[in-house]
Amino acid sequence: RTRSVASSVGRTRLAGTGGLPGKSEMILAARLQYRSAVPRRGVPMVRTTRTRRQLDLLDRLVTLMAAEGFAAFTLDELALRMRCSKTTLYALADSKQDLVVEVVKQYFRTAVDAVEGRVAAETDPAARVSAYLSAVADQLRPLSRVFMDDLTGFAPAAAVYRSNTAAAADRIRALVADGIAAGAFRPV
């Protein structure tokens, strides 16, 4: 027998039975859903929507790490600098390494929002491309050399950076394609 949890309806279906679950299967489903959200060493946490406080903490961590890097920090030092407990940091990620990845992701989420806001303010295709490139440069400017060195030296964070760089290149191509379609640019 296999079980699958359909979290959207909170039911467990026993494979091959085709029926609705009994009370014990529903209890098991609830426990499985609860367990999936409980952090365990080596098992990735299921992320839920962040609270305003958690987002603020992530933004403050972005500011700190962008200026000073992250490799030299311990979780104790980060908790002290952020004026929070280590438990609060562990609510964001299971380890320092995972926290760094979350911080890098938060940086890119915020940067993308700022960049796209500037692009949306423009209607002319050439101005949109220019706004995009200028906004990206503005977002990258606060990143210190030590942060960039730490980023390139830590594979999981470097992967997030590469993924976002690839997305930025795709976005530029799309802006140029839009300009070609509008007749503002000539095809090459």
Side-chain angles (χ1 to χ4, degrees):
R1 280 174 13 169
T2 60
R3 294 184 175 113
S4 65
V5 177
S7 61
S8 63
V9 292
R11 297 181 181 172
T12 302
R13 185 180 314 159
L14 299 177
T17 65
L20 292 175
K23 183 176 179 180
S24 62
E25 285 85 10
M26 291 177 73
I27 291 169
L28 175 62
R31 286 183 180 157
L32 287 173
Q33 288 173 340
Y34 173 75
R35 280 190 193 156
S36 68
V38 175
R40 295 181 306 275
R41 214 149 192 52
V43 178
M45 289 175 50
V46 174
R47 297 284 175 231
T48 58
T49 303
R50 301 257 188 231
T51 66
R52 185 173 306 280
R53 183 172 180 251
Q54 288 174 322
L55 291 172
D56 176 61
L57 179 57
L58 278 171
D59 288 338
R60 290 184 307 140
L61 284 164
V62 166
T63 301
L64 175 67
M65 291 183 186
E68 299 180 32
F70 53 82
F73 282 114
T74 65
L75 278 175
D76 286 323
E77 291 167 333
L78 289 172
L80 184 64
R81 295 283 297 269
M82 294 293 105
R83 299 178 132 185
C84 70
S85 68
K86 281 175 42 176
T87 301
T88 301
L89 294 176
Y90 279 120
L92 297 175
D94 294 334
S95 66
K96 178 189 167 193
Q97 292 79 11
D98 291 343
L99 181 62
V100 166
V101 171
E102 288 300 314
V103 168
V104 172
K105 287 179 180 178
Q106 178 68 10
Y107 162 77
F108 280 109
R109 281 189 290 267
T110 303
V112 166
D113 289 346
V115 168
E116 289 302 329
R118 291 209 3 219
V119 171
E122 301 294 338
T123 55
D124 176 66
R128 289 172 59 83
V129 171
S130 179
Y132 185 87
L133 295 173
S134 175
V136 166
D138 290 345
Q139 292 301 309
L140 291 173
R141 196 168 288 115
L143 302 181
S144 67
R145 170 55 52 201
V146 68
F147 175 83
M148 294 305 293
D149 290 345
D150 289 351
L151 182 71
T152 58
F154 181 52
V160 173
Y161 182 80
R162 280 191 308 277
S163 173
N164 280 277
T165 301
D170 289 343
R171 182 66 172 123
I172 292 168
R173 282 190 282 276
L175 289 169
V176 170
D178 291 346
I180 291 169
F185 306 139
R186 60 184 164 83
V188 220

